[in-house]
Amino acid sequence: MSGALEALFAHDAQTSALGQIMGRLHWDQETVMPPGSAAQRAEEIGALEAVLHARRQDPRLGDWLSEADPESETDAARLDLIARDYQRARALPADLAVALARAASTGQGIWAKARADEDVAAFLPALSEMIALKREAADAWCAAAGTQDRYDALVEDYEPGLTGAEIAALFDRMRPRLVALRDAVLGKAAAKAPLQGQFAQADQLRFAALLAERFGYDLGRGRIDLAVHPFSSGSGADVRITTRVDESDPFNCFYSTIHEVGHASYEQNVAAALGLTRLGQGVSMGVHESQSRIYENQLGRSEAFCTWMHGAMSETFGAFQPEDAAQFYATVNAVRAGYIRTEADELHYNLHVMLRFDLERDLIQGGLDVADLNDAWNARFAADFGVAVDRPSHGLLQDVHWSCGLFGYFPTYTLGNVYAGCLHEALRRDLPALDEDLARGDTGAATAWLGERVQRHGASKAPRQVIEEATGAPVSEAPLLDYLEAKFGALYSL
């Protein structure tokens, strides 16, 4: 290995390790940090961000990149990503990078309290500050790249190469079939048997751990904790997830857990040789979401897996309603126009994402003022879902993302669903005994297929390349829409 390549990779490994420490600080903040520690934590995160930003724009990187001679395709991919990060870091002033990190840390705490207090007004100043900082960052990236679209500059952090216009076009193609199917289901829907029983928190968490292990999560290199908003954190040998518990609705805990296990398994299954390198993590949030969504929905909400899950829940919680496994499957997949994105059925979920995409794009581009955001949210929700928002925690305050500055993130949820649709079609083709396995609670063949086709590559391939090589077909929304129409057409006898 040449001297420049060796020096560059050593620098990358240290930067990656420090990035993992930053992730641990955020995990601690959302799980066990004392509430009075928020101001100090913001300073700690700001200080570490200053170190990370300096490393990412270190002038030596430019010299090493110009001199480095890759010895393999993996080396070349690693160099490309280091160069991309270097250019973006150079375009972002150091004081702005630190201000963004501090604002994300303090904003999250303000959001959590505002959500608990149902107080939109208490959150808006922090949101205004964050949006101003994100616009400033987007303008800096646009100037460096010679482009003008702020939102595209932000999406680049989550789905490289994708534009807001491409996202909007995808959503425009999807919406008619989604709305038509949703309306057909709601127009015919007989009430599904409600879930009734005793679901104590301790029992839910034990069952969540069982589900996590069933889906291949290695608890020897991970853990499950509670948080206001479930998330996954880390990569390689330390990948942690969180869930949340509502004793009247265990599905909230169980499917949040399966969803986050999809993310965590991706990170745990990246090839060990890529650990603590720029390649040793998921390639994009769209591909990441494809793993969490296929684990949660196409596998976890399948009729076969629900058959096993009904029996396993009966052993854990005793008798509960519905007693019949077929009715249980229908209850798991009941369609209703609920408020909460993370609890939404598969038909409504993407409509939630489309609402957020349109609003956040307008916010970043200047077409919507923060002062008008709550009214815009409520009006759009009523139009899209036919229900008036009854309180802020069911509306603007339900998601943590904007408080942390994750603008450009939301559309990757639906992009992940699209990718998952493509992967599921190929998975069914390659694993004809899949339903027999799932009916035994055995996801091993499916998760091994995903591990081999998607997860082990980390960031060594481009996002669409990963999906297209895994499936042998171009990315398209059609498999997802076909799957939804077949599944819910059968469930509701359309």
Side-chain angles (χ1 to χ4, degrees), residues 8 69 99 112 123 142 146 208 224 268 310 314 332 350 393 408 438 467:
L8 180 61
D69 186 15
F123 175 56
C142 286
I224 305 173
Q268 287 187 333
H310 181 265
S314 298
V332 166
N350 295 303
S393 61
L438 294 176
I467 304 302

Side-chain angles (χ1 to χ4, degrees), residues 259-274:
H259 179 99
E260 298 308 333
V261 163
H263 285 304
S265 293
Y266 188 179
E267 295 292 339
Q268 287 187 333
N269 291 334
V270 173
L274 303 180

Side-chain angles (χ1 to χ4, degrees), residues 234-251:
S235 65
D238 191 343
V239 187
R240 309 178 185 194
I241 68 170
T242 66
T243 190
R244 59 187 175 198
V245 172
D246 176 345
E247 292 198 349
S248 67
D249 179 15
F251 291 159

Side-chain angles (χ1 to χ4, degrees), residues 17-34 37-50 52 56 97-109 111-112 130 158 223 225-234 238 240-242 400-401 403-406:
L18 289 169
Q20 292 297 309
I21 295 171
M22 176 71 90
R24 215 83 70 243
L25 285 174
H26 284 292
W27 170 86
D28 177 270
Q29 179 175 340
E30 294 193 48
T31 54
V32 297
M33 186 187 79
S37 305
Q40 178 174 313
R41 179 55 50 87
E43 292 303 312
E44 293 166 356
I45 286 174
L48 183 53
E49 179 59 32
L52 282 165
R56 290 172 182 142
V98 172
L100 281 164
R102 286 177 176 154
S105 180
T106 57
Q108 181 182 333
W111 162 80
M130 176 57 75
Y158 308 107
R223 54 182 291 130
D225 292 275
L226 292 171
V228 175
H229 192 106
F231 68 98
S232 173
S233 174
D238 191 343
R240 309 178 185 194
I241 68 170
T242 66
V400 70
H401 302 63
S403 72
C404 301
L406 302 180

